[in-house]
Amino acid sequence: MRRECHPLLRGGRNRESKYNHGLSSAEMGSLSSLCETILPSLSPIPKFDGKQNQPTKAVQAFYGASASQTPMPDETAELLTKRGLPEAVFMVRLVLWLLSTRLGTFLLCGSLCFGEKWSYFKNFSSIPLDKRERVLQKWFKHRFFTPIRTAFVYVKILALYVFFSRVDEKGDNPAWEAIEYYNVGTDENPDQVPKERPLQKGLIDTNQETDSTLLHSLKEKGLRVTQDPRKNVYKIKCDVVIVGSGCGGGVAAAVLAASGQKVFVLEKGNYFTATDYSGLEGPSMDQLYESGGKLATTDAEMLIMAGSAVGGGSAVNWSASIKTPNSVLQEWTRTQKIPLFGSSEYFSAMDAVCTRIGVTESCGEEGFQNQVLRKGCESLGIPVKTVPRNSSERHYCGSCGYGCLKGEKKGTDRTWLVDAVDHGAVIFTGCKAERFMFEKNEGGSKRKKKCVGVTAKIVNNNIRTRLQIEAKVTISACGALLTPPLMISSGLKNQNIGRNLHLHPVLMAWGYFPESNSEFKGKVYEGGIITAVHEVLTGDSNARAIIETPALGPSSFVALCPWVSGHDMKDRMAKYARTAHLITIIRDSGSGKVTTEGRISYNLDAMDKENLKAGLRQALRILVAAGAVEVGTHRSDGQRIKCRGIKKEDLEEFLDTVYATAGPLSPVEDWMLYTSAHQMGSCRMAINKKEGAVDENGESWEAEGLFICDASVLPSAVGVNPMITIQSTAYCLSKKIAESLCRD
């Protein structure tokens, strides 16, 4: 039975709503033809390994469907204009316009656009499908004019994403049955799902407010509020204002509220609980992630996942709860000279964090992908560890990336923020911070400015009143991607703000395990997301990479898969349910920059690429050892090898061709897309202002009373899933802030 859920997470477009993408009919004609080329209607049905000879009606319908069917091109255009970077939207529209003309088609397609007579050439939509496919294949390998190639890549990603994520009013997608994506967002035991909304008593949801009700709601929560009608501003006074409610902000809110401070938490996302979640990939990504999960670096090389709801990343992460490695703590203590990370307080904080979020050390039953990882490691005789999780040992939820349907995962929205609300904190959702407010510091401090609060704008269009929150202490906890732009737009100048951004870059390997391989039970989307991990070590036992398993719904899966032909793409998706992925994560020494919201640049260094290569090759060995019949990478040429009965020397010869190449905008023939789910270090902590943006207490070097309590302050990459590190750091910093406020 399809579960009831929040309207924002339900999906299904209102038939009466109009599209706002603004593309012309000529551009849409080109886009529709591209969509058809990327995922065409195929007949007869091809045979593929591990499937029955007589395809079901669902499989026949899937192979007969096309991404050009109404309204998918319009949905693709809408997604492009809503989520694409401005330069990407410009380039895609330029390519679409060129392809709508005969001359432009000739420039981009060459002789493939010629008609029956050599002197007659057609526009792209008039070219036969087989020739259009060859055009795309050529451009996907083109080493020159890579911005044009990147435009085609954008369309490929968005068109396929729409095809596999779009749902009707009942929450269904016609392709899901064919790819064996079953029981998504259904309730097996609805009575066991917790129905309480533990933050409700401290919550002000701006979606439920208007200009006429907001003032009463604020005062009702015990806040001191005055109105400035001339400026259309509400002035709110509190002890501590925190921007963001994730791993850092949630912990800080709990610690400071418990110390007796009146805490006001600003969150631009919405509040959802277990009964609100739908488990549907498309609407969940749109509502629970920054940029709807479509955030990319400016060179289109890295796709970045960052949470954007009450609870932040902790509401959508994959539950891995790994303590900061000792080698990292030693480096931060000795090399970076920050005593906090070698102190007993920090180790006590990690214990306190793990206790509060209910970390367990074992797993009762592993899902398909983790079974594969564990079996492969055991067959190779290499170590594999069980990953601690902030859920019960029996937790078997493969959709926690879309919010935990069972309510068992203990993010900040179910732990620290509950503590904060119980001590009088107020959580204000649907509100985006604009600028920190400063005044001249007269106290004789080295810091010339004093932060006195923050101004904010309510996202809800029904409310035009702005907020001005005045506080003794202001804390930025909106994450490593949003804290730096907020600091810079407020006028802060420290050279480290927005720099030293680490992303834990990820490359993936895949292996196909037909249903005939009955050793591994289940589907790729079932079971705990991360329950096993293998460390790839150097000769001196330092970790080069870690290998874990991801959550990939059909649309994320297909967006990352290399496109070599429409036929191949449908065959890949027909095998979706039994294609295991392993992710290689590295502790990156290269870094990036984010100084403007949504504009992220990033560079891997040579060592990062070597470590990614080592991890990717090891992941492929593990998949082969586990019994995969075919393995491969996401390199653009569709790199793969059949491996049933493969000889060791043949496998090693294949592995010699595996490496970490550049992205689609680089002048290389074969390219890759990287992903990131961990961002840190962009306002790093340091012992002086030349090396960091904040001091060892998390306080800005430039403004007294302005603190950062999120992943921004970490001195470098962690190398493992960073939730425990972020929460433990925030715990220590907020304890110090609380002590300081109590002294004052």
Side-chain angles (χ1 to χ4, degrees):
M1 181 177 70
R2 179 70 63 188
R3 64 187 281 140
E4 293 294 321
C5 63
H6 194 285
L8 291 173
L9 302 178
R10 190 179 297 148
R13 187 179 180 87
N14 185 340
R15 293 181 180 179
E16 297 180 359
S17 61
K18 295 181 179 180
Y19 292 102
N20 299 311
H21 52 68
L23 270 66
S24 68
S25 58
E27 290 171 318
M28 286 305 301
S30 299
L31 180 59
S32 295
S33 296
L34 275 174
C35 290
E36 181 189 26
T37 310
I38 291 162
L39 201 71
S41 172
L42 296 175
S43 181
I45 309 298
K47 293 181 181 179
F48 44 88
D49 187 25
K51 296 289 180 182
Q52 67 274 20
N53 291 327
Q54 295 299 320
T56 64
K57 289 183 178 180
V59 171
Q60 292 182 45
F62 168 60
Y63 272 89
S66 167
S68 63
Q69 292 171 217
T70 304
M72 281 175 272
D74 277 308
E75 297 280 354
T76 301
E78 197 83 350
L79 198 55
L80 169 71
T81 55
K82 181 180 180 181
R83 300 299 189 187
L85 292 171
E87 60 268 39
V89 175
F90 170 80
M91 184 54 64
V92 170
R93 294 193 65 173
L94 175 62
V95 168
L96 294 178
W97 175 76
L98 287 170
L99 291 176
S100 71
T101 67
R102 289 192 293 170
L103 179 59
T105 302
F106 173 68
L107 292 173
L108 294 182
C109 305
S111 62
L112 288 170
C113 71
F114 289 168
E116 294 76 14
K117 298 179 181 180
W118 73 269
S119 60
Y120 180 73
F121 47 88
K122 306 176 180 180
N123 70 5
F124 186 76
S125 298
S126 301
I127 301 174
L129 178 61
D130 63 324
K131 288 189 176 182
R132 277 185 271 140
E133 186 170 80
R134 286 163 59 192
V135 169
L136 277 190
Q137 289 166 341
K138 181 189 76 170
W139 272 106
F140 273 38
K141 284 187 167 292
H142 212 295
R143 296 175 58 187
F144 307 105
F145 305 110
T146 54
I148 296 175
R149 175 170 74 182
T150 303
F152 284 120
V153 173
Y154 254 87
V155 174
K156 171 259 178 185
I157 290 173
L158 296 179
L160 291 173
Y161 186 92
V162 166
F163 184 89
F164 287 97
S165 68
R166 188 176 183 275
V167 294
D168 59 22
E169 291 79 4
K170 296 180 180 179
D172 291 321
N173 180 301
W176 288 352
E177 183 180 350
I179 65 174
E180 300 180 32
Y181 189 50
Y182 299 130
N183 302 320
V184 181
T186 57
D187 270 333
E188 296 177 7
N189 299 297
D191 294 338
Q192 295 180 13
V193 178
K195 294 178 173 57
E196 70 270 14
R197 301 178 66 81
L199 302 183
Q200 198 63 46
K201 66 180 179 182
L203 187 76
I204 299 177
D205 179 358
T206 59
N207 290 317
Q208 307 299 322
E209 300 287 343
T210 64
D211 277 317
S212 60
T213 64
L214 183 58
L215 182 61
H216 172 74
S217 296
L218 289 165
K219 289 183 175 180
E220 191 178 47
K221 294 291 189 291
L223 293 162
R224 291 168 288 165
V225 188
T226 56
Q227 188 174 10
D228 186 341
R230 186 173 56 85
K231 295 182 179 179
N232 198 27
V233 168
Y234 287 148
K235 294 183 178 180
I236 302 168
K237 290 192 176 182
C238 59
D239 296 319
V240 179
V241 59
I242 301 174
V243 182
S245 63
C247 289
V251 172
V255 170
L256 287 158
S259 73
Q261 307 300 322
K262 185 63 176 179
V263 174
F264 189 74
V265 180
L266 286 177
E267 170 57 58
K268 70 182 178 70
N270 294 306
Y271 175 48
F272 301 107
T273 63
T275 54
D276 294 324
Y277 295 128
S278 66
L280 298 173
E281 184 178 16
S284 299
M285 294 281 281
D286 186 65
Q287 290 295 318
L288 302 177
Y289 289 85
E290 285 295 327
S291 299
K294 318 297 184 303
L295 183 61
T297 51
T298 50
D299 61 1
E301 186 168 307
M302 183 91 66
L303 298 175
I304 298 172
M305 307 286 286
S308 182
V310 172
S314 73
V316 293
N317 70 14
W318 301 344
S319 302
S321 304
I322 304 172
K323 290 184 175 181
T324 319
N326 286 329
S327 58
V328 175
L329 292 175
Q330 289 173 11
E331 177 188 313
W332 291 350
T333 303
R334 297 173 185 175
T335 305
Q336 310 286 351
K337 296 181 173 54
I338 303 173
L340 168 66
F341 295 107
S343 67
S344 59
E345 287 81 5
Y346 187 81
F347 285 90
S348 296
M350 286 197 289
D351 291 337
V353 164
C354 289
T355 298
R356 182 62 190 95
I357 65 174
V359 174
T360 56
E361 300 287 340
S362 61
C363 174
E365 180 184 4
E366 289 193 305
F368 168 64
Q369 293 192 125
N370 285 278
Q371 294 173 46
V372 168
L373 174 54
R374 192 173 296 277
K375 173 65 176 179
C377 289
E378 290 171 351
S379 297
L380 291 172
I382 56 178
V384 57
K385 298 178 181 178
T386 297
V387 176
R389 298 180 293 162
N390 61 330
S391 60
S392 69
E393 295 175 352
R394 67 181 185 280
H395 189 56
Y396 194 79
C397 174
S399 61
C400 278
Y402 314 132
C404 184
L405 296 172
K406 299 181 179 181
E408 293 180 4
K409 186 179 71 171
K410 296 181 179 177
T412 62
D413 53 318
R414 290 186 54 79
T415 53
W416 298 107
L417 289 171
V418 178
D419 298 344
V421 165
D422 286 345
H423 286 93
V426 177
I427 300 172
F428 195 84
T429 63
C431 186
K432 184 174 173 57
E434 292 185 311
R435 292 176 64 90
F436 295 122
M437 300 186 297
F438 302 111
E439 62 183 29
K440 188 175 181 181
N441 195 354
E442 305 287 358
S445 168
K446 293 181 180 179
R447 294 171 169 86
K448 296 180 180 179
K449 297 179 179 181
K450 182 176 182 179
C451 187
V452 293
V454 63
T455 61
K457 177 184 178 181
I458 295 169
V459 178
N460 180 356
N461 291 328
N462 293 330
I463 302 176
R464 297 181 180 180
T465 308
R466 299 178 109 79
L467 301 185
Q468 183 173 302
I469 303 100
E470 299 172 7
K472 301 174 190 174
V473 164
T474 303
I475 296 176
S476 184
C478 44
L481 300 180
L482 294 177
T483 282
L486 181 57
M487 302 275 279
I488 291 169
S489 66
S490 302
L492 297 181
K493 306 292 186 183
N494 183 285
Q495 62 185 357
N496 293 287
I497 298 174
R499 299 181 184 275
N500 313 303
L501 174 67
H502 295 279
L503 295 178
H504 280 180
V506 168
L507 286 177
M508 302 190 194
W510 58 267
Y512 177 52
F513 297 81
E515 292 283 0
S516 56
N517 185 337
S518 58
E519 182 177 1
F520 303 117
K521 305 295 183 184
K523 310 292 185 186
V524 67
Y525 51 86
E526 295 174 337
I529 299 170
I530 298 177
T531 58
V533 61
H534 167 67
E535 294 179 342
V536 183
L537 303 176
T538 62
D540 53 2
S541 296
N542 288 322
R544 300 191 68 177
I546 59 173
I547 296 174
E548 296 176 334
T549 56
L552 289 177
S555 50
S556 299
F557 178 104
V558 74
L560 291 171
C561 275
W563 184 92
V564 295
S565 71
H567 186 303
D568 176 72
M569 187 56 72
K570 286 202 170 179
D571 286 354
R572 283 177 181 267
M573 288 310 296
K575 301 175 183 178
Y576 161 75
R578 295 285 292 183
T579 300
H581 274 81
L582 301 182
I583 55 176
T584 293
I585 306 174
I586 64 163
R587 184 183 181 217
D588 45 330
S589 50
S591 64
K593 182 173 73 169
V594 54
T595 54
T596 303
E597 187 172 335
R599 309 281 310 172
I600 304 160
S601 60
Y602 182 79
N603 292 297
L604 293 162
D605 70 11
M607 183 56 68
D608 293 335
K609 291 184 176 181
E610 285 299 308
N611 288 338
L612 280 163
K613 179 175 73 174
L616 200 54
R617 292 180 177 184
Q618 186 77 323
L620 289 162
R621 291 189 187 96
I622 290 169
L623 289 163
V624 172
V629 299
E630 186 178 25
V631 299
T633 70
H634 285 167
R635 202 170 72 187
S636 61
D637 61 346
Q639 182 182 45
R640 69 184 100 182
I641 187 171
K642 301 281 186 182
C643 48
R644 185 176 278 158
I646 192 171
K647 295 179 181 178
K648 183 177 180 181
E649 54 268 28
D650 292 335
L651 175 60
E652 290 301 319
E653 183 179 344
F654 170 73
L655 293 177
D656 286 342
T657 68
V658 173
Y659 60 95
T661 185
L665 204 54
S666 302
V668 294
E669 184 173 302
D670 299 324
W671 45 270
M672 287 176 165
L673 289 175
Y674 294 75
T675 57
S676 164
H678 308 149
Q679 305 88 37
M680 67 216 86
S682 53
C683 286
R684 70 182 179 192
M685 183 186 297
I687 57 173
N688 59 60
K689 62 184 179 182
K690 291 183 179 180
E691 297 179 37
V694 298
D695 66 14
E696 59 192 71
N697 296 316
E699 190 172 16
S700 164
W701 287 109
E702 299 173 82
E704 183 179 310
L706 175 59
F707 295 81
I708 300 178
C709 284
D710 60 26
S712 305
V713 302
L714 301 183
S716 66
V718 184
V720 298
N721 306 69
M723 176 169 64
I724 300 300
T725 302
I726 299 166
Q727 293 198 16
S728 302
T729 303
Y731 186 88
C732 292
L733 297 181
S734 53
K735 281 281 189 183
K736 292 182 180 181
I737 296 169
E739 291 168 4
S740 173
L741 286 171
C742 288
R743 284 197 301 269
D744 295 343

